Amino acid sequence: MFDNLINKSAAKSPWLFHINAGSCNGCDIELVAGLTPRYDAERLGFRLAGTPRHADIVVVTGPITAQIKDRVLRTIEQDPEPRCIVTMGSCPASGNVFKDGYPYAGPLSKYVDVDVDIAGCAAKPETVLEGLYQAAQILEQKRKAMKNKGGQI
Amino acid sequence: MFNWMWLFYILVFPGALFCFVGGTLLNGLDRKVYAKMQQRIGPPILQPFYDFMKLMGKETIIPYEANKPVFLGAPVVGFVALVTIMLLLPQFGFSAFGDINADMIVIIYLLTIPAASIIIGGAASGSPYAGVGISREMVSVISFELPLVMVLLAIGRKAGGDGVTFSMKAIADYQAANGAMICQWSMIPAALAMLLVVPCEVGCHPFDVAEAETEICEGPLVEYSGAPLGVFKLNYYVKQLVVSGLFAALFLGGKGTGIVAADAVIFYVECLVVTFFSMTLIRASLARLKVEQVFKFYWTVVAGLALVSLVLAWFGL
Ligand code: SF4
């Protein structure tokens, strides 16, 4: 009975969890800028969650370094389904300027399915909001798919 | 003697359904006003409802270390306790379970159960962050308990005439006869103290030491996900309604209109006003306190205010 409502709510209340995977701090600042009163991500329901267990969208910034790779994957695993993985900035998608560095452990998409790539170095808050909004729509699709598969809720 | 009316009271008004709808709406309005104070558009008023619904649809992960029945049962216990408090609060002339002697003492005990459910649930999850969180939660319970009891004693003495009354009904009757408690000058310090007890009891922003999400990852709630987390969030919304309702019942009573529905609306508006002054305003203007600051603040300033009223009431003023 409530399924429709739950599916709709999934898109309206996406909570974020932010992982810094060796970023230069540029993207982290821009993500926080998207949450400030000026851009006001809360009007779309976004909220920064304190722990991956509460989150719907995992935002990864920075190139995935060899040191942090396992931790990032483990943190993503701790996130309950349905979840979306968003990479922010050019770093997690391509390596950017860190590409030839010895600690670079490859793009995130090598290890997990990435749902949305937000481009830019650093990505602008407007782009971030746009990308996160798309991720929220994908969440709704995922929730529907999960229900149809008869997965646990 | 079983009365069918009781079922309606418990399930619909002023019980579970009223708490659910009223609580989520109250929290939504609170967040909207909070956003306006920061000059942003803010979330839709139904946002808490969406949050709750979404959490109901998420996967529930139970950690390997956790004690499953306690981990899942704790949030429900907290919710039931809150609904029970709502049933005991008189709304002007109307009160669901009318003439119970000494229900104020029951309310004091019931008010600690939501906090206890957070503590127990956190302890059952077996996470070290929850460990830090529950120790902080205990400190905040101890901090607001003393001023709260002193405020209730002062009111009981004031309304009791010669003795001390512990009946919410007697307090409501006293206010119906003599006007709202907040208009008595000797009760104004107690009202201020109670206004400051409300946010700590609810655990909202400047006093949310236990759930400091930037320091200890939401403390006791760190391992919760999905439906149990949803119920904990719901507890938070309902706690806002119930504790501001307690303030309204204690200080803003009166004759009312005599019509239950109209009284309920006035009561709800009073809850909104209390929420604005005690939670939204303080939350928007202050940064989070440290644990020991909370403790010190409540046992000196707030308890001092309550003591002033208690002494005045004892001398019959
Ligand atoms: S994309 Fe650019 S700004 Fe963002 S973390 Fe990489 S180097 Fe820094």
Side-chain angles (χ1 to χ4, degrees), chain B residues 98-155:
Chain B
D99 230 344
I100 309 174
N101 234 335
D103 45 2
M104 206 141 94
I105 295 172
V106 179
I107 289 180
I108 294 177
Y109 278 102
L110 283 175
L111 271 176
T112 52
I113 291 185
S117 81
I118 293 181
I119 292 171
I120 292 167
S125 72
S127 155
Y129 286 111
V132 179
I134 59 180
S135 74
R136 289 181 175 203
E137 179 77 35
M138 278 182 222
V139 172
S140 70
V141 170
I142 295 167
S143 337
F144 74 72
E145 204 78 321
L146 175 78
L148 176 70
V149 172
M150 274 158 58
V151 166
L152 290 178
L153 271 179
I155 292 174

Side-chain angles (χ1 to χ4, degrees), chain B residues 10-11 14-16 19 73-88 106 110-111 113-114 117 231-232 234-235 238-239 242:
Chain B
I10 293 172
L11 293 179
C19 283
V76 181
V77 171
F79 182 70
V80 172
L82 287 166
V83 172
T84 315
I85 301 173
M86 201 65 205
L87 292 172
L88 294 175
V106 179
L110 283 175
L111 271 176
I113 291 185
S117 81
V231 178
F232 263 129
L234 181 65
N235 280 359
V238 175
K239 228 190 296 178
V242 166

Side-chain angles (χ1 to χ4, degrees), chain B:
Chain B
M1 38 149 211
F2 184 77
N3 188 339
W4 282 105
M5 214 46 199
W6 291 347
L7 218 56
F8 177 77
Y9 286 154
I10 293 172
L11 293 179
V12 183
F13 177 83
L17 190 71
F18 175 72
C19 283
F20 176 76
V21 176
T24 44
L25 208 62
L26 189 72
N27 186 267
L29 288 165
D30 169 42
R31 276 170 80 171
K32 192 83 188 170
V33 174
Y34 178 62
K36 287 282 174 234
M37 289 167 89
Q38 296 180 335
Q39 302 201 332
R40 34 190 194 106
I41 301 168
I45 289 170
L46 287 180
Q47 186 62 43
F49 180 71
Y50 296 140
D51 287 354
F52 175 74
M53 272 325 211
K54 175 208 73 181
L55 287 170
M56 285 290 137
K58 294 242 344 165
E59 181 190 3
T60 304
I61 299 173
I62 298 164
Y64 182 69
E65 301 263 307
N67 180 338
K68 197 172 162 189
V70 181
F71 185 73
L72 295 178
V76 181
V77 171
F79 182 70
V80 172
L82 287 166
V83 172
T84 315
I85 301 173
M86 201 65 205
L87 292 172
L88 294 175
L89 291 183
Q91 308 182 354
F92 300 104
F94 170 76
S95 133
F97 288 95
D99 230 344
I100 309 174
N101 234 335
D103 45 2
M104 206 141 94
I105 295 172
V106 179
I107 289 180
I108 294 177
Y109 278 102
L110 283 175
L111 271 176
T112 52
I113 291 185
S117 81
I118 293 181
I119 292 171
I120 292 167
S125 72
S127 155
Y129 286 111
V132 179
I134 59 180
S135 74
R136 289 181 175 203
E137 179 77 35
M138 278 182 222
V139 172
S140 70
V141 170
I142 295 167
S143 337
F144 74 72
E145 204 78 321
L146 175 78
L148 176 70
V149 172
M150 274 158 58
V151 166
L152 290 178
L153 271 179
I155 292 174
R157 172 78 188 139
K158 184 86 188 161
D162 310 326
V164 184
T165 176
F166 286 113
S167 151
M168 293 301 281
K169 182 96 175 90
I171 293 169
D173 288 344
Y174 175 84
Q175 296 188 72
N178 301 331
M181 196 64 92
I182 201 165
C183 301
Q184 317 266 359
W185 64 268
S186 62
M187 283 296 122
I188 289 176
L192 279 177
M194 187 67 191
L195 216 48
L196 288 166
V197 167
V198 171
C200 188
E201 166 76 62
V202 174
C204 88
H205 182 57
F207 307 111
D208 63 343
V209 283
E211 279 151 41
E213 69 267 11
T214 42
E215 299 159 26
I216 50 167
C217 309
E218 318 226 357
L221 304 183
V222 64
E223 289 293 346
Y224 275 94
S225 62
L229 178 66
V231 178
F232 263 129
K233 291 283 163 196
L234 181 65
N235 280 359
Y236 177 82
Y237 312 146
V238 175
K239 228 190 296 178
Q240 275 192 327
L241 178 71
V242 166
V243 183
S244 57
L246 178 65
F247 183 93
L250 290 177
F251 288 100
L252 304 173
K255 269 202 199 54
T257 53
I259 311 162
V260 175
D263 278 354
V265 172
I266 300 175
F267 181 76
Y268 193 73
V269 172
E270 283 178 357
C271 288
L272 273 178
V273 174
V274 174
T275 307
F276 174 73
F277 281 109
S278 69
M279 285 176 247
T280 321
L281 207 60
I282 298 181
R283 193 152 67 101
S285 44
L286 293 176
R288 183 182 300 122
L289 299 176
K290 284 187 253 170
V291 192
E292 65 270 19
Q293 287 172 330
V294 170
F295 186 74
K296 205 169 155 199
F297 177 69
Y298 276 90
W299 277 48
T300 53
V301 179
V302 183
L305 282 170
L307 191 64
V308 171
S309 269
L310 188 59
V311 170
L312 286 175
W314 227 263
F315 286 114
L317 289 168

Side-chain angles (χ1 to χ4, degrees), chain A residues 22-27 61-63 88-92 96-98 120-123:
Chain A
S23 138
C24 77
N25 217 1
C27 284
T61 56
M88 183 180 163
S90 313
C91 284
N96 206 1
V97 287
F98 306 107
C121 174

